[in-house]
Amino acid sequence: MNPKIALFGAGGKMGVRLSKNLLNSRFRVAHVEPGAAGQQRLRDELGLSVVSTEDALQGADVVILAVPDNLIGKISHQIEPLLKPGTMVMVLDAAAPFAGHLPQRDDLTYFVAHPCHPPIYNNETTEAARKDYFGGGFAKQSITSALMQGPESAFDLGEELAKTIYAPILNSYRLTVEQMALLEPGLSETVCATLLDVMREAMDETVRRGVPAECARDFLLGHMNILAAVIFKEVPGAFSDACNKAITFGKPRLMRDDWIKVFERDEIAESIRRIT
């Protein structure tokens, strides 16, 4: 059996990545892309043409919504009347499902799949893989998946498809939608991206105060490498007394005492509300 996939947003940045990885898979893919630029990108990069929404959904076993978070609710409700019972709707981020933006229809399967992206510490041996920071091309990455609703038997199909679109795969983790929302936006964006942005601002401040820009960058990225290796136990080791004291006195200077509350459900919900 070769399931039919209706891929919406096929000509976008993410859509093209997925389209490329699906080319040599067992899945039959119907590409939907309303934008002229996206259609041209599919033709130029992959030699693919698009079909209408109606043709794509005719007999579709899975619908992938490779579209921005704030469009998932609108598009899913528009296509819902055309979906046969048992159709799997796959979204690539937990935000819209967590926020309740998918149609209320018990005979549909909802599956969420999101990449972890290639880890900083890896064993990649080729230049292409080492520079594949996003994943889905040359570097191995782990993925997360959640069967939000639908029969348990549907998980295997969803995971297989997730492994295909995000290949090559390191590990595959099964989570709940709520757990995925803790990871993103909670861990990856609210915490990680924010603190990295602060680190970049701190680096820029040292440059403003007279440190050569290339030196500041080399110094920060080099220390990020070894400090993270110790903190995340990539290598055995311990910080010096001076470094530990800097952390002890620096953390309350940089962080609010209640910062951990960003992981409370209402905080996660509010963060998702802003983007959906």
PDB file of all heavy atoms in Angstrom, residues 151-184:
ATOM      1  N   PRO A 151      -6.984   6.318  16.289  1.00  0.00           N
ATOM      2  CA  PRO A 151      -6.677   4.967  16.767  1.00  0.00           C
ATOM      3  C   PRO A 151      -5.185   4.775  16.999  1.00  0.00           C
ATOM      4  O   PRO A 151      -4.353   5.368  16.298  1.00  0.00           O
ATOM      5  CB  PRO A 151      -7.181   4.071  15.627  1.00  0.00           C
ATOM      6  CG  PRO A 151      -7.125   4.945  14.414  1.00  0.00           C
ATOM      7  CD  PRO A 151      -7.461   6.328  14.891  1.00  0.00           C
ATOM      8  N   GLU A 152      -4.843   3.970  17.980  1.00  0.00           N
ATOM      9  CA  GLU A 152      -3.443   3.702  18.302  1.00  0.00           C
ATOM     10  C   GLU A 152      -2.685   3.170  17.087  1.00  0.00           C
ATOM     11  O   GLU A 152      -1.493   3.450  16.906  1.00  0.00           O
ATOM     12  CB  GLU A 152      -3.362   2.704  19.456  1.00  0.00           C
ATOM     13  CG  GLU A 152      -1.958   2.306  19.869  1.00  0.00           C
ATOM     14  CD  GLU A 152      -1.099   3.471  20.336  1.00  0.00           C
ATOM     15  OE1 GLU A 152      -1.678   4.467  20.836  1.00  0.00           O
ATOM     16  OE2 GLU A 152       0.134   3.392  20.201  1.00  0.00           O
ATOM     17  N   SER A 153      -3.375   2.449  16.247  1.00  0.00           N
ATOM     18  CA  SER A 153      -2.732   1.877  15.058  1.00  0.00           C
ATOM     19  C   SER A 153      -2.229   2.944  14.095  1.00  0.00           C
ATOM     20  O   SER A 153      -1.390   2.665  13.238  1.00  0.00           O
ATOM     21  CB  SER A 153      -3.720   0.957  14.331  1.00  0.00           C
ATOM     22  OG  SER A 153      -4.895   1.674  13.945  1.00  0.00           O
ATOM     23  N   ALA A 154      -2.724   4.178  14.233  1.00  0.00           N
ATOM     24  CA  ALA A 154      -2.313   5.250  13.326  1.00  0.00           C
ATOM     25  C   ALA A 154      -0.931   5.784  13.655  1.00  0.00           C
ATOM     26  O   ALA A 154      -0.301   6.447  12.809  1.00  0.00           O
ATOM     27  CB  ALA A 154      -3.331   6.394  13.373  1.00  0.00           C
ATOM     28  N   PHE A 155      -0.449   5.512  14.863  1.00  0.00           N
ATOM     29  CA  PHE A 155       0.845   6.093  15.247  1.00  0.00           C
ATOM     30  C   PHE A 155       1.970   5.622  14.340  1.00  0.00           C
ATOM     31  O   PHE A 155       2.842   6.409  13.954  1.00  0.00           O
ATOM     32  CB  PHE A 155       1.190   5.761  16.706  1.00  0.00           C
ATOM     33  CG  PHE A 155       2.492   6.395  17.139  1.00  0.00           C
ATOM     34  CD1 PHE A 155       2.534   7.714  17.558  1.00  0.00           C
ATOM     35  CD2 PHE A 155       3.687   5.677  17.085  1.00  0.00           C
ATOM     36  CE1 PHE A 155       3.729   8.309  17.922  1.00  0.00           C
ATOM     37  CE2 PHE A 155       4.885   6.269  17.443  1.00  0.00           C
ATOM     38  CZ  PHE A 155       4.906   7.586  17.872  1.00  0.00           C
ATOM     39  N   ASP A 156       1.983   4.361  13.981  1.00  0.00           N
ATOM     40  CA  ASP A 156       3.080   3.832  13.165  1.00  0.00           C
ATOM     41  C   ASP A 156       3.170   4.552  11.826  1.00  0.00           C
ATOM     42  O   ASP A 156       4.268   4.859  11.356  1.00  0.00           O
ATOM     43  CB  ASP A 156       2.898   2.334  12.943  1.00  0.00           C
ATOM     44  CG  ASP A 156       3.152   1.525  14.208  1.00  0.00           C
ATOM     45  OD1 ASP A 156       3.767   2.068  15.147  1.00  0.00           O
ATOM     46  OD2 ASP A 156       2.729   0.351  14.257  1.00  0.00           O
ATOM     47  N   LEU A 157       2.028   4.812  11.194  1.00  0.00           N
ATOM     48  CA  LEU A 157       2.031   5.541   9.928  1.00  0.00           C
ATOM     49  C   LEU A 157       2.549   6.959  10.127  1.00  0.00           C
ATOM     50  O   LEU A 157       3.376   7.448   9.355  1.00  0.00           O
ATOM     51  CB  LEU A 157       0.628   5.575   9.325  1.00  0.00           C
ATOM     52  CG  LEU A 157       0.465   6.447   8.074  1.00  0.00           C
ATOM     53  CD1 LEU A 157       1.362   5.955   6.944  1.00  0.00           C
ATOM     54  CD2 LEU A 157      -0.994   6.480   7.628  1.00  0.00           C
ATOM     55  N   GLY A 158       2.070   7.632  11.179  1.00  0.00           N
ATOM     56  CA  GLY A 158       2.518   8.986  11.428  1.00  0.00           C
ATOM     57  C   GLY A 158       4.004   9.058  11.700  1.00  0.00           C
ATOM     58  O   GLY A 158       4.703   9.939  11.181  1.00  0.00           O
ATOM     59  N   GLU A 159       4.521   8.123  12.497  1.00  0.00           N
ATOM     60  CA  GLU A 159       5.952   8.126  12.802  1.00  0.00           C
ATOM     61  C   GLU A 159       6.773   7.817  11.558  1.00  0.00           C
ATOM     62  O   GLU A 159       7.838   8.411  11.335  1.00  0.00           O
ATOM     63  CB  GLU A 159       6.264   7.122  13.908  1.00  0.00           C
ATOM     64  CG  GLU A 159       7.720   7.169  14.356  1.00  0.00           C
ATOM     65  CD  GLU A 159       8.038   6.128  15.412  1.00  0.00           C
ATOM     66  OE1 GLU A 159       7.569   4.966  15.257  1.00  0.00           O
ATOM     67  OE2 GLU A 159       8.747   6.448  16.372  1.00  0.00           O
ATOM     68  N   GLU A 160       6.298   6.871  10.741  1.00  0.00           N
ATOM     69  CA  GLU A 160       7.016   6.556   9.502  1.00  0.00           C
ATOM     70  C   GLU A 160       7.113   7.787   8.615  1.00  0.00           C
ATOM     71  O   GLU A 160       8.174   8.079   8.038  1.00  0.00           O
ATOM     72  CB  GLU A 160       6.318   5.423   8.743  1.00  0.00           C
ATOM     73  CG  GLU A 160       7.009   5.062   7.435  1.00  0.00           C
ATOM     74  CD  GLU A 160       6.204   4.134   6.550  1.00  0.00           C
ATOM     75  OE1 GLU A 160       5.119   3.684   6.964  1.00  0.00           O
ATOM     76  OE2 GLU A 160       6.662   3.863   5.408  1.00  0.00           O
ATOM     77  N   LEU A 161       6.013   8.500   8.506  1.00  0.00           N
ATOM     78  CA  LEU A 161       6.005   9.701   7.682  1.00  0.00           C
ATOM     79  C   LEU A 161       6.920  10.768   8.273  1.00  0.00           C
ATOM     80  O   LEU A 161       7.657  11.449   7.544  1.00  0.00           O
ATOM     81  CB  LEU A 161       4.574  10.222   7.561  1.00  0.00           C
ATOM     82  CG  LEU A 161       4.317  11.396   6.605  1.00  0.00           C
ATOM     83  CD1 LEU A 161       4.901  11.117   5.219  1.00  0.00           C
ATOM     84  CD2 LEU A 161       2.820  11.659   6.508  1.00  0.00           C
ATOM     85  N   ALA A 162       6.889  10.924   9.598  1.00  0.00           N
ATOM     86  CA  ALA A 162       7.763  11.895  10.260  1.00  0.00           C
ATOM     87  C   ALA A 162       9.228  11.554  10.023  1.00  0.00           C
ATOM     88  O   ALA A 162      10.055  12.441   9.752  1.00  0.00           O
ATOM     89  CB  ALA A 162       7.453  11.951  11.751  1.00  0.00           C
ATOM     90  N   LYS A 163       9.569  10.272  10.113  1.00  0.00           N
ATOM     91  CA  LYS A 163      10.951   9.860   9.873  1.00  0.00           C
ATOM     92  C   LYS A 163      11.359  10.118   8.425  1.00  0.00           C
ATOM     93  O   LYS A 163      12.541  10.379   8.142  1.00  0.00           O
ATOM     94  CB  LYS A 163      11.111   8.368  10.203  1.00  0.00           C
ATOM     95  CG  LYS A 163      11.089   8.056  11.692  1.00  0.00           C
ATOM     96  CD  LYS A 163      11.266   6.560  11.928  1.00  0.00           C
ATOM     97  CE  LYS A 163      11.361   6.240  13.414  1.00  0.00           C
ATOM     98  NZ  LYS A 163      11.524   4.774  13.654  1.00  0.00           N
ATOM     99  N   THR A 164      10.393  10.053   7.530  1.00  0.00           N
ATOM    100  CA  THR A 164      10.686  10.295   6.114  1.00  0.00           C
ATOM    101  C   THR A 164      10.929  11.761   5.837  1.00  0.00           C
ATOM    102  O   THR A 164      11.909  12.129   5.184  1.00  0.00           O
ATOM    103  CB  THR A 164       9.523   9.787   5.231  1.00  0.00           C
ATOM    104  OG1 THR A 164       9.337   8.387   5.445  1.00  0.00           O
ATOM    105  CG2 THR A 164       9.798  10.051   3.757  1.00  0.00           C
ATOM    106  N   ILE A 165      10.076  12.631   6.351  1.00  0.00           N
ATOM    107  CA  ILE A 165      10.194  14.047   6.024  1.00  0.00           C
ATOM    108  C   ILE A 165      11.339  14.733   6.763  1.00  0.00           C
ATOM    109  O   ILE A 165      11.837  15.775   6.303  1.00  0.00           O
ATOM    110  CB  ILE A 165       8.872  14.810   6.296  1.00  0.00           C
ATOM    111  CG1 ILE A 165       8.500  14.753   7.783  1.00  0.00           C
ATOM    112  CG2 ILE A 165       7.754  14.257   5.421  1.00  0.00           C
ATOM    113  CD1 ILE A 165       7.234  15.523   8.119  1.00  0.00           C
ATOM    114  N   TYR A 166      11.777  14.148   7.875  1.00  0.00           N
ATOM    115  CA  TYR A 166      12.857  14.762   8.647  1.00  0.00           C
ATOM    116  C   TYR A 166      14.171  13.995   8.548  1.00  0.00           C
ATOM    117  O   TYR A 166      15.112  14.278   9.297  1.00  0.00           O
ATOM    118  CB  TYR A 166      12.456  14.857  10.117  1.00  0.00           C
ATOM    119  CG  TYR A 166      11.296  15.774  10.400  1.00  0.00           C
ATOM    120  CD1 TYR A 166      10.246  15.365  11.232  1.00  0.00           C
ATOM    121  CD2 TYR A 166      11.222  17.050   9.843  1.00  0.00           C
ATOM    122  CE1 TYR A 166       9.181  16.209  11.508  1.00  0.00           C
ATOM    123  CE2 TYR A 166      10.159  17.892  10.105  1.00  0.00           C
ATOM    124  CZ  TYR A 166       9.140  17.464  10.950  1.00  0.00           C
ATOM    125  OH  TYR A 166       8.082  18.301  11.229  1.00  0.00           O
ATOM    126  N   ALA A 167      14.262  13.028   7.671  1.00  0.00           N
ATOM    127  CA  ALA A 167      15.448  12.174   7.560  1.00  0.00           C
ATOM    128  C   ALA A 167      16.705  12.995   7.213  1.00  0.00           C
ATOM    129  O   ALA A 167      16.599  14.048   6.586  1.00  0.00           O
ATOM    130  CB  ALA A 167      15.210  11.115   6.490  1.00  0.00           C
ATOM    131  N   PRO A 168      17.889  12.461   7.653  1.00  0.00           N
ATOM    132  CA  PRO A 168      18.151  11.212   8.380  1.00  0.00           C
ATOM    133  C   PRO A 168      17.881  11.357   9.884  1.00  0.00           C
ATOM    134  O   PRO A 168      18.033  12.440  10.445  1.00  0.00           O
ATOM    135  CB  PRO A 168      19.635  10.949   8.112  1.00  0.00           C
ATOM    136  CG  PRO A 168      20.223  12.307   7.866  1.00  0.00           C
ATOM    137  CD  PRO A 168      19.143  13.098   7.188  1.00  0.00           C
ATOM    138  N   ILE A 169      17.484  10.265  10.522  1.00  0.00           N
ATOM    139  CA  ILE A 169      16.984  10.296  11.893  1.00  0.00           C
ATOM    140  C   ILE A 169      17.996   9.706  12.883  1.00  0.00           C
ATOM    141  O   ILE A 169      18.615   8.674  12.605  1.00  0.00           O
ATOM    142  CB  ILE A 169      15.659   9.517  12.004  1.00  0.00           C
ATOM    143  CG1 ILE A 169      14.606  10.123  11.064  1.00  0.00           C
ATOM    144  CG2 ILE A 169      15.160   9.505  13.448  1.00  0.00           C
ATOM    145  CD1 ILE A 169      14.290  11.581  11.342  1.00  0.00           C
ATOM    146  N   LEU A 170      18.125  10.376  14.014  1.00  0.00           N
ATOM    147  CA  LEU A 170      18.956   9.907  15.112  1.00  0.00           C
ATOM    148  C   LEU A 170      18.111   9.099  16.099  1.00  0.00           C
ATOM    149  O   LEU A 170      18.311   7.906  16.280  1.00  0.00           O
ATOM    150  CB  LEU A 170      19.613  11.097  15.817  1.00  0.00           C
ATOM    151  CG  LEU A 170      20.650  10.815  16.901  1.00  0.00           C
ATOM    152  CD1 LEU A 170      21.834  10.045  16.323  1.00  0.00           C
ATOM    153  CD2 LEU A 170      21.117  12.134  17.526  1.00  0.00           C
ATOM    154  N   ASN A 171      17.134   9.744  16.735  1.00  0.00           N
ATOM    155  CA  ASN A 171      16.204   9.089  17.653  1.00  0.00           C
ATOM    156  C   ASN A 171      14.794   9.591  17.370  1.00  0.00           C
ATOM    157  O   ASN A 171      14.619  10.717  16.877  1.00  0.00           O
ATOM    158  CB  ASN A 171      16.550   9.384  19.116  1.00  0.00           C
ATOM    159  CG  ASN A 171      17.900   8.827  19.524  1.00  0.00           C
ATOM    160  OD1 ASN A 171      18.136   7.624  19.441  1.00  0.00           O
ATOM    161  ND2 ASN A 171      18.797   9.711  19.949  1.00  0.00           N
ATOM    162  N   SER A 172      13.799   8.764  17.705  1.00  0.00           N
ATOM    163  CA  SER A 172      12.404   9.158  17.551  1.00  0.00           C
ATOM    164  C   SER A 172      11.722   9.017  18.909  1.00  0.00           C
ATOM    165  O   SER A 172      11.743   7.942  19.509  1.00  0.00           O
ATOM    166  CB  SER A 172      11.707   8.265  16.519  1.00  0.00           C
ATOM    167  OG  SER A 172      10.335   8.603  16.397  1.00  0.00           O
ATOM    168  N   TYR A 173      11.129  10.124  19.385  1.00  0.00           N
ATOM    169  CA  TYR A 173      10.504  10.152  20.700  1.00  0.00           C
ATOM    170  C   TYR A 173       8.999  10.355  20.572  1.00  0.00           C
ATOM    171  O   TYR A 173       8.551  11.235  19.838  1.00  0.00           O
ATOM    172  CB  TYR A 173      11.084  11.282  21.550  1.00  0.00           C
ATOM    173  CG  TYR A 173      12.581  11.197  21.747  1.00  0.00           C
ATOM    174  CD1 TYR A 173      13.437  12.035  21.027  1.00  0.00           C
ATOM    175  CD2 TYR A 173      13.135  10.285  22.634  1.00  0.00           C
ATOM    176  CE1 TYR A 173      14.807  11.972  21.202  1.00  0.00           C
ATOM    177  CE2 TYR A 173      14.508  10.209  22.819  1.00  0.00           C
ATOM    178  CZ  TYR A 173      15.340  11.054  22.102  1.00  0.00           C
ATOM    179  OH  TYR A 173      16.696  10.984  22.280  1.00  0.00           O
ATOM    180  N   ARG A 174       8.263   9.546  21.335  1.00  0.00           N
ATOM    181  CA  ARG A 174       6.811   9.726  21.374  1.00  0.00           C
ATOM    182  C   ARG A 174       6.438  10.545  22.607  1.00  0.00           C
ATOM    183  O   ARG A 174       6.794  10.188  23.738  1.00  0.00           O
ATOM    184  CB  ARG A 174       6.092   8.379  21.400  1.00  0.00           C
ATOM    185  CG  ARG A 174       4.575   8.547  21.419  1.00  0.00           C
ATOM    186  CD  ARG A 174       3.851   7.236  21.224  1.00  0.00           C
ATOM    187  NE  ARG A 174       2.405   7.460  21.181  1.00  0.00           N
ATOM    188  CZ  ARG A 174       1.501   6.515  20.926  1.00  0.00           C
ATOM    189  NH1 ARG A 174       1.898   5.278  20.684  1.00  0.00           N
ATOM    190  NH2 ARG A 174       0.219   6.811  20.896  1.00  0.00           N
ATOM    191  N   LEU A 175       5.722  11.642  22.389  1.00  0.00           N
ATOM    192  CA  LEU A 175       5.312  12.532  23.460  1.00  0.00           C
ATOM    193  C   LEU A 175       3.819  12.798  23.368  1.00  0.00           C
ATOM    194  O   LEU A 175       3.156  12.346  22.442  1.00  0.00           O
ATOM    195  CB  LEU A 175       6.073  13.868  23.363  1.00  0.00           C
ATOM    196  CG  LEU A 175       7.600  13.823  23.361  1.00  0.00           C
ATOM    197  CD1 LEU A 175       8.151  15.220  23.162  1.00  0.00           C
ATOM    198  CD2 LEU A 175       8.142  13.218  24.645  1.00  0.00           C
ATOM    199  N   THR A 176       3.307  13.572  24.308  1.00  0.00           N
ATOM    200  CA  THR A 176       1.961  14.124  24.193  1.00  0.00           C
ATOM    201  C   THR A 176       2.078  15.517  23.588  1.00  0.00           C
ATOM    202  O   THR A 176       3.167  16.116  23.549  1.00  0.00           O
ATOM    203  CB  THR A 176       1.287  14.223  25.573  1.00  0.00           C
ATOM    204  OG1 THR A 176       2.002  15.186  26.369  1.00  0.00           O
ATOM    205  CG2 THR A 176       1.271  12.875  26.269  1.00  0.00           C
ATOM    206  N   VAL A 177       0.964  16.058  23.141  1.00  0.00           N
ATOM    207  CA  VAL A 177       0.964  17.422  22.609  1.00  0.00           C
ATOM    208  C   VAL A 177       1.395  18.408  23.693  1.00  0.00           C
ATOM    209  O   VAL A 177       2.135  19.363  23.433  1.00  0.00           O
ATOM    210  CB  VAL A 177      -0.425  17.796  22.046  1.00  0.00           C
ATOM    211  CG1 VAL A 177      -0.489  19.273  21.690  1.00  0.00           C
ATOM    212  CG2 VAL A 177      -0.731  16.945  20.814  1.00  0.00           C
ATOM    213  N   GLU A 178       0.946  18.174  24.930  1.00  0.00           N
ATOM    214  CA  GLU A 178       1.318  19.058  26.036  1.00  0.00           C
ATOM    215  C   GLU A 178       2.820  19.027  26.282  1.00  0.00           C
ATOM    216  O   GLU A 178       3.443  20.068  26.538  1.00  0.00           O
ATOM    217  CB  GLU A 178       0.564  18.658  27.305  1.00  0.00           C
ATOM    218  CG  GLU A 178      -0.922  18.964  27.272  1.00  0.00           C
ATOM    219  CD  GLU A 178      -1.722  18.023  26.381  1.00  0.00           C
ATOM    220  OE1 GLU A 178      -1.194  16.940  26.022  1.00  0.00           O
ATOM    221  OE2 GLU A 178      -2.863  18.367  26.029  1.00  0.00           O
ATOM    222  N   GLN A 179       3.425  17.860  26.198  1.00  0.00           N
ATOM    223  CA  GLN A 179       4.871  17.756  26.364  1.00  0.00           C
ATOM    224  C   GLN A 179       5.614  18.456  25.231  1.00  0.00           C
ATOM    225  O   GLN A 179       6.650  19.099  25.457  1.00  0.00           O
ATOM    226  CB  GLN A 179       5.282  16.285  26.446  1.00  0.00           C
ATOM    227  CG  GLN A 179       4.861  15.600  27.726  1.00  0.00           C
ATOM    228  CD  GLN A 179       5.080  14.101  27.691  1.00  0.00           C
ATOM    229  OE1 GLN A 179       5.040  13.471  26.612  1.00  0.00           O
ATOM    230  NE2 GLN A 179       5.308  13.496  28.845  1.00  0.00           N
ATOM    231  N   MET A 180       5.085  18.341  24.020  1.00  0.00           N
ATOM    232  CA  MET A 180       5.709  19.027  22.890  1.00  0.00           C
ATOM    233  C   MET A 180       5.649  20.536  23.067  1.00  0.00           C
ATOM    234  O   MET A 180       6.583  21.257  22.703  1.00  0.00           O
ATOM    235  CB  MET A 180       5.048  18.596  21.580  1.00  0.00           C
ATOM    236  CG  MET A 180       5.294  17.133  21.227  1.00  0.00           C
ATOM    237  SD  MET A 180       4.531  16.623  19.660  1.00  0.00           S
ATOM    238  CE  MET A 180       5.635  17.400  18.478  1.00  0.00           C
ATOM    239  N   ALA A 181       4.544  21.034  23.639  1.00  0.00           N
ATOM    240  CA  ALA A 181       4.422  22.471  23.876  1.00  0.00           C
ATOM    241  C   ALA A 181       5.404  22.942  24.944  1.00  0.00           C
ATOM    242  O   ALA A 181       5.898  24.082  24.886  1.00  0.00           O
ATOM    243  CB  ALA A 181       2.991  22.813  24.292  1.00  0.00           C
ATOM    244  N   LEU A 182       5.721  22.083  25.919  1.00  0.00           N
ATOM    245  CA  LEU A 182       6.745  22.430  26.903  1.00  0.00           C
ATOM    246  C   LEU A 182       8.093  22.616  26.223  1.00  0.00           C
ATOM    247  O   LEU A 182       8.875  23.512  26.580  1.00  0.00           O
ATOM    248  CB  LEU A 182       6.847  21.341  27.969  1.00  0.00           C
ATOM    249  CG  LEU A 182       5.742  21.283  29.018  1.00  0.00           C
ATOM    250  CD1 LEU A 182       5.908  20.030  29.879  1.00  0.00           C
ATOM    251  CD2 LEU A 182       5.734  22.531  29.893  1.00  0.00           C
ATOM    252  N   LEU A 183       8.361  21.770  25.221  1.00  0.00           N
ATOM    253  CA  LEU A 183       9.624  21.858  24.501  1.00  0.00           C
ATOM    254  C   LEU A 183       9.669  23.055  23.561  1.00  0.00           C
ATOM    255  O   LEU A 183      10.708  23.707  23.415  1.00  0.00           O
ATOM    256  CB  LEU A 183       9.865  20.566  23.719  1.00  0.00           C
ATOM    257  CG  LEU A 183      10.094  19.305  24.559  1.00  0.00           C
ATOM    258  CD1 LEU A 183      10.254  18.093  23.656  1.00  0.00           C
ATOM    259  CD2 LEU A 183      11.298  19.462  25.466  1.00  0.00           C
ATOM    260  N   GLU A 184       8.532  23.316  22.905  1.00  0.00           N
ATOM    261  CA  GLU A 184       8.438  24.492  22.023  1.00  0.00           C
ATOM    262  C   GLU A 184       7.001  24.988  22.016  1.00  0.00           C
ATOM    263  O   GLU A 184       6.109  24.219  21.654  1.00  0.00           O
ATOM    264  CB  GLU A 184       8.874  24.154  20.594  1.00  0.00           C
ATOM    265  CG  GLU A 184       8.899  25.400  19.693  1.00  0.00           C
ATOM    266  CD  GLU A 184       9.647  25.152  18.391  1.00  0.00           C
ATOM    267  OE1 GLU A 184      10.787  24.621  18.467  1.00  0.00           O
ATOM    268  OE2 GLU A 184       9.105  25.459  17.331  1.00  0.00           O
TER     269      GLU A 184
END
